[in-house]
């Protein structure tokens, strides 16, 4: 039984990899790091979901600009109007690194910035506002952003105090740990909701 | 510059194809595969044509920085000088033949008829001319509004966009750089409704100089990446000295602010390797070898190899952190050779039968690395590429990177799968030396990357268990 399960898993994994569209990554961008409270505040909408489709195409009006159109099935909305699906179009300037950032089937938490007059939007802080969700050895869901969660909680406590924001004991615990690397998804959600004021 | 019609298809191919990069060169040529023509020169980096130096860039005629209310902070002439100084950083490498020149203002294209480039439509049209190989634009987004109209967040300092390649001869043809002037307008309001972030002039210039590194054909490099975990913006100067400007993330204080040259030894070594001149051989030797699984035969691609100068105990500085040059094993080999079993799909964008066009298919290059180093005595070590150097932050040919099997280790003269990882031998390199066969055999029970050979191994992937890598790398 275990063998059959494993075989199916292998085939599904291979198919999933092979079916990933040749999406392009934002190679060659330099960004200024920001903390989770700032990113949460900056985001217009924050969703947790799974990539259903990702396709590369020219912008419908700005034909020389390459874009990636992402559709997601939404599990949860941490900020913004709750919705079951979410789509956005992102400008990508360097057509390489297929599917590394928006693989079909990839579970993500996305902190998205506002939509421009040309219908374009991106995660806030680019790689910083895109968290990949996976499971750790214990089977717990964990999330890590495109900077490995480095500096995600830098000076967060001081800013919260300055603004009179009361963080839950759980959120404060994470903030004080200042740990890089994957974060339990539940803790990330809790922290984002605290910072976005959507508890 | 006029593009030969036969290149058009190839340029389109470039624009529509995913590429793996390689620690060192940004794009590596690959052979003809199936009906697909060769992509540049097999196993050779794409570079600007040395016979056509200087590389001519064109600058946005508008100011470099204006405030949200329209007050000019850095005018056009001062901006052009800043840009020239940034290009001069790379041009100043005495062991490289690279040079650049300002060819004047942006060429008109479509709706862009000259003057300050401000709108997304104008940007689109100028990028069209860049993709046609007509110009290498340097664009001042003086108040950050262009980036906003492109849906980009205010954290973006700048970016480089490769526009066109000569895929017959293996040359870079055109490329663009965009600079977000908002970081230099003197206004720092990180919490306002219209976020406006600030950087020191040196930090800003170094960010754009990093982009010029990509413009010139360089990939990211990973050295002293323990700095990622120091949680301080003021880094140890020895560590910072060795941290490549081409490191994937902006870290630490500006190099210049710490009294360091803008380029690290890794940056100068790689730009010299891509564009060697008569001085190069008098100032560098090379260390090369392969990384192997424990059988000593199966090569490992995607491991980060670093040559470090041995510390001189007679100085206050730690030369082993300051002088280091890296390469990713298999950097000349493709990161995606393709396969015909499950990847033969009807849709071209889904069909991975032939894999990526870039990178060699010569198996001898799978675990191969070559590092150019200044004369001196070195140790050589191998480590994983950091698990989150994915997509736009990629280092090396595998994207996402794969956790290196086994712990980091040094090379020693008695290499085996059972040696002590900290046991190290030294290599003395003179100018012009070519030290070969510096092979490292990893200490690991894994025999190869083919994890489908063992059900349990399938679950140990960097995507699922990135923390494994972090533990390894700290060991």
């Amino acid at each position: 039984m275990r063998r059959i399960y494993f075989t199916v898993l292998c085939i599904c994994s291979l198919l999933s990899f092979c079916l990933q569209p040749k999406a392009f990554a934002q190679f060659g961008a330099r960004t200024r790091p920001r903390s989770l409270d700032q990113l949460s505040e900056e985001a217009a909408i924050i969703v947790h979901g799974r990539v259903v489709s990702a396709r590369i195409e020219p912008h419908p009006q700005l034909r020389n600009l390459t874009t990636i159109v992402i559709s997601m099935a939404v599990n949860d909305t941490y900020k913004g109007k709750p919705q079951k699906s979410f789509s956005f179009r992102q400008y990508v300037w360097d057509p390489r690194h297929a599917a590394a950032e928006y693989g079909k089937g990839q579970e993500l938490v996305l902190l998205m910035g506002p939509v421009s007059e040309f219908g374009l939007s991106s995660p806030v802080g680019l790689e910083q506002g895109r968290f990949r969700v996976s499971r750790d050895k214990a089977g717990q869901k964990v999330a890590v952003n495109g900077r490995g969660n480095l500096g995600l909680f830098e000076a967060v406590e001081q800013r919260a105090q300055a603004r009179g924001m009361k963080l839950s004991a759980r959120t404060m615990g994470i903030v004080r740990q200042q740990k890089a690397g994957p974060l339990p998804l539940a803790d990330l959600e809790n922290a984002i909701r605290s910072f976005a004021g959507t508890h | 510059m006029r593009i030969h019609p036969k290149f058009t298809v190839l340029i389109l191919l470039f624009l529509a194809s995913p590429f793996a990069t390689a620690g060192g060169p940004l794009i590596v040529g690959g052979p003809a595969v199936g009906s697909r023509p060769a992509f540049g020169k097999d196993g050779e980096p794409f570079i600007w044509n040395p016979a056509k130096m200087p590389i001519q860039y064109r600058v946005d005629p508008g100011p470099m920085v204006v405030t949200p209310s329209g007050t000019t902070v850095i005018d056009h002439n001062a901006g052009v000088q800043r840009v020239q100084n940034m290009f001069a950083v790379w041009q100043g490498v005495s062991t490289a033949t690279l040079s650049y020149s300002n060819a004047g203002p942006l060429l008109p294209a479509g709706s862009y008829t000259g003057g300050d480039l401000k709108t997304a439509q104008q940007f689109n049209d100028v990028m069209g001319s860049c993709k046609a190989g007509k110009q290498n634009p340097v664009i001042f987004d003086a108040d950050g509004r262009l980036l906003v109209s492109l849906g980009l967040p205010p954290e973006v300092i700048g970016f480089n966009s490769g526009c066109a390649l000569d895929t017959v001869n293996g040359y870079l043809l055109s490329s663009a750089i965009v600079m977000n002037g908002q970081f230099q307008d003197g206004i720092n309001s990180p919490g306002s409704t219209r976020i406006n972030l600030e950087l020191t002039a040196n930090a800003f210039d170094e960010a754009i100089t990093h982009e010029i590194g990509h413009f010139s054909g360089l990939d990211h490099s990973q050295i002293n990446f323990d700095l990622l975990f120091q949680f301080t913006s003021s880094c140890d100067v020895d560590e910072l000295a060795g941290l490549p400007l081409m490191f994937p993330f902006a870290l630490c204080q500006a190099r210049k602010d710490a009294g360091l040259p803008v380029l690290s030894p890794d940056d100068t070594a790689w730009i010299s390797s891509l564009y060697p001149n008569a001085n190069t051989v008098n100032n560098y030797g090379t260390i090369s070898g392969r990384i192997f699984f424990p059988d000593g035969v199966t090569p490992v691609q995607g491991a980060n190899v670093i040559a470090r100068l041995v510390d001189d105990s007679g100085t206050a500085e730690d030369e082993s952190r300051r002088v280091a040059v890296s390469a990713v094993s298999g950097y000349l080999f493709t990161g995606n050779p393709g396969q015909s079993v499950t990847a033969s799909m009807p849709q071209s964008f889904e069909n991975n039968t032939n894999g990526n066009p870039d990178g060699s298919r010569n198996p001898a290059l799978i675990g191969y690395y070559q590092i150019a180093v200044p004369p001196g005595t070195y140790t050589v070590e191998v480590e994983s590429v950091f698990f989150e150097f994915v997509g736009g932050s990629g280092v090396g040919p595998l994207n996402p990177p794969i956790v290196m099997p086994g712990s980091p280790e040094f090379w020693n003269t008695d290499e085996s799968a059972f040696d002590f990882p900290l046991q190290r031998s030294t290599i003395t390199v003179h100018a012009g030396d070519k030290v070969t066969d510096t092979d490292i055999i990893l200490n690991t029970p894994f025999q190869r990357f083919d994890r489908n050979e063992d059900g349990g191994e399938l679950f140990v992937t960097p995507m699922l268990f990135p923390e494994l890598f972090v533990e390894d790398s700290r060991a």
Side-chain angles (χ1 to χ4, degrees):
Chain A
M1 186 63 189
R2 187 174 178 269
R3 195 183 180 112
I4 293 170
Y5 170 75
F6 174 68
T7 307
V8 169
L9 185 67
C10 283
I11 292 169
C12 289
S13 302
L14 279 170
L15 281 175
S16 164
F17 173 79
C18 295
L19 288 173
Q20 284 176 350
K22 303 300 181 276
F24 305 143
Q26 301 290 68
F27 197 87
R30 224 39 176 176
T31 59
R32 169 140 181 205
R34 300 256 284 168
S35 302
L36 186 62
D37 58 329
Q38 297 170 317
L39 295 169
S40 302
E41 195 179 334
E42 182 184 341
I45 183 166
I46 304 176
V47 295
H48 165 216
R50 197 174 286 278
V51 176
V52 175
S53 72
R55 67 175 191 277
I56 297 291
E57 62 183 33
H59 188 278
Q61 298 155 265
L62 309 169
R63 302 293 295 175
N64 293 315
L65 304 188
T66 305
T67 62
I68 183 167
V69 182
I70 305 292
S71 294
M72 294 181 71
V74 176
N75 295 353
D76 205 349
T77 306
Y78 299 164
K79 183 180 181 183
K81 193 178 167 191
Q83 46 198 304
K84 287 186 174 173
S85 62
F86 175 67
S87 298
F88 63 97
R89 181 187 294 274
Q90 184 177 341
Y91 168 48
V92 288
W93 52 78
D94 198 344
R96 290 171 297 146
H97 300 105
E101 291 177 354
Y102 296 110
K104 196 171 174 179
Q106 176 69 58
E107 191 174 345
L108 298 169
V109 172
L110 288 179
L111 286 70
M112 295 298 297
V115 180
S116 79
E117 68 264 37
F118 290 96
L120 294 163
S121 62
S122 310
V124 293
L126 276 190
E127 77 284 0
Q128 302 170 59
R130 189 192 67 249
F131 291 80
R132 283 190 292 112
V133 179
S134 57
R135 288 187 187 274
D136 65 12
K137 280 180 276 191
Q140 178 184 230
K141 281 195 172 180
V142 293
V144 62
N145 75 0
R147 284 180 75 93
N149 290 350
L150 297 161
L152 200 57
F153 297 108
E154 196 170 308
V156 167
E157 188 175 354
Q158 294 90 316
R159 273 193 300 274
Q161 279 173 353
R163 293 167 56 190
M165 182 188 278
K166 208 156 191 185
L167 299 175
S168 69
R170 185 173 165 185
T171 303
M172 194 59 90
I174 306 161
V175 166
R176 285 183 175 162
Q177 270 187 341
Q178 292 266 330
K179 200 179 150 202
L183 187 67
L185 177 63
D187 289 348
L188 177 70
E189 176 184 347
N190 193 277
I192 288 174
R193 287 189 189 278
S194 295
F195 300 137
T198 55
H199 258 304
Chain B
M1 182 161 47
R2 189 170 177 276
I3 306 295
H4 192 286
K6 74 181 177 185
F7 291 168
T8 308
V9 171
L10 300 174
I11 289 167
L12 287 173
L13 179 73
F14 163 67
L15 297 172
S17 301
F19 294 113
T21 56
L26 188 61
I27 305 170
V28 176
V33 178
S35 59
R36 188 174 64 205
F39 180 74
K41 295 177 184 170
D42 185 10
E44 292 186 24
F46 273 75
I47 57 171
W48 292 88
N49 186 345
K52 292 189 177 175
M53 295 290 165
I55 304 163
Q56 303 210 329
Y57 62 86
R58 292 182 171 274
V59 185
D60 187 337
M64 178 179 151
V65 180
V66 298
T67 63
S69 58
T71 305
T72 297
V73 179
I74 300 176
D75 65 17
H76 174 73
N77 290 338
V80 168
Q81 190 57 57
R82 288 271 290 267
V83 169
Q84 283 178 351
N85 293 344
M86 295 176 210
F87 276 105
V89 168
W90 291 104
Q91 185 169 321
V93 177
S94 62
T95 47
T97 188
L98 195 65
S99 62
Y100 315 85
S101 76
N102 178 1
L106 296 177
L107 295 174
S111 66
Y112 176 72
T113 54
D116 189 7
L117 188 154
K118 285 185 171 175
T119 70
Q121 186 63 56
Q122 292 172 333
F123 176 69
N124 171 69
D125 293 343
V126 168
M127 288 305 287
S129 72
C130 183
K131 287 180 175 182
K134 292 178 181 169
Q135 61 178 326
N136 302 308
V138 175
I139 294 165
F140 294 145
D141 183 10
D143 57 6
R145 287 183 196 188
L146 173 63
L147 295 185
V148 170
S149 69
L150 297 173
L152 296 171
E155 291 85 3
V156 173
I157 305 164
F159 62 87
N160 162 244
S161 177
C163 292
L165 299 174
D166 170 355
T167 55
V168 172
N169 298 302
Y171 292 130
L172 303 167
L173 279 182
S174 56
S175 195
I177 289 170
V178 178
M179 302 162 59
N180 184 356
Q182 206 177 36
F183 280 91
Q184 294 290 279
D185 65 3
I187 302 168
N188 190 31
S189 50
S192 69
T193 48
R194 187 162 191 267
I195 294 160
N196 190 336
L197 304 172
E198 203 64 10
L199 284 173
T200 67
N202 285 340
F204 181 83
D205 288 359
E206 289 179 14
I208 302 303
T209 307
H210 170 102
E211 299 307 329
I212 295 172
H214 289 314
F215 175 101
S216 305
L218 286 174
D219 184 21
H220 291 138
S221 283
Q222 174 182 303
I223 292 174
N224 295 353
F225 93 113
D226 47 314
L227 283 171
L228 282 171
F229 306 100
Q230 292 193 359
F231 304 111
T232 170
S233 54
S234 183
C235 299
D236 174 82
V237 176
D238 285 339
E239 293 272 352
L240 180 59
L243 183 75
L245 186 71
M246 297 312 292
F247 194 77
F249 301 155
L251 289 178
C252 306
Q253 67 273 43
R255 295 176 60 86
K256 233 175 168 177
D257 290 342
L260 296 167
V262 175
L263 301 182
S264 75
D266 183 85
D267 301 311
T268 50
W270 271 109
I271 203 71
S272 304
S273 295
L274 290 192
Y275 300 93
N277 63 16
N279 287 332
T280 313
V281 73
N282 298 323
N283 288 276
Y284 284 98
T286 60
I287 299 172
S288 64
R290 288 169 295 174
I291 308 301
F292 289 117
F293 280 92
D295 60 7
V297 176
T298 310
V300 177
Q301 188 184 24
N304 194 47
V305 189
I306 303 173
R308 290 188 187 277
L309 192 66
V310 173
D311 183 35
D312 178 353
S313 57
T315 67
E317 285 124 9
D318 183 349
E319 284 79 8
S320 72
R321 310 310 292 179
R322 283 180 166 253
V323 182
V325 187
S326 69
V328 176
S329 64
Y331 70 101
L332 297 175
F333 193 77
T334 183
N336 174 20
Q339 48 90 11
S340 59
V341 180
T342 59
S344 180
M345 311 300 264
Q347 295 291 323
S348 60
F349 69 91
E350 291 181 334
N351 193 320
N352 191 38
T353 303
N354 291 332
N356 288 3
D358 66 318
S360 179
R361 308 301 173 103
N362 176 359
L365 295 174
I366 293 176
Y368 178 79
Y369 71 90
Q370 179 173 295
I371 302 171
V373 292
T377 300
Y378 290 84
T379 57
V380 177
E381 66 194 61
V382 62
E383 65 182 14
S384 274
V385 171
F386 180 51
F387 74 93
E388 261 309 325
F389 288 161
V390 174
S393 304
V395 178
L398 303 182
N399 201 339
I402 292 179
V403 177
M404 186 186 80
S407 61
E409 68 167 289
F410 286 95
W411 170 82
N412 68 81
T413 50
D414 301 314
E415 264 303 314
S416 80
F418 309 101
D419 53 359
F420 183 51
L422 294 178
Q423 184 185 341
R424 69 199 76 177
S425 303
T426 57
I427 301 168
T428 298
V429 181
H430 304 95
D433 278 357
K434 291 181 179 176
V435 180
T436 60
D437 300 322
T438 311
D439 300 340
I440 297 179
I441 300 171
L442 300 180
N443 300 353
T444 168
F446 303 139
Q447 295 304 309
R448 51 186 295 178
F449 275 143
D450 186 354
R451 293 173 175 194
N452 297 330
E453 296 280 318
D454 177 341
E457 294 309 309
L458 181 67
F459 296 96
V460 187
T461 72
M463 300 294 280
L464 293 175
F465 299 116
E467 72 277 15
L468 285 180
F469 170 76
V470 176
E471 288 167 8
D472 278 354
S473 67
R474 284 169 166 171

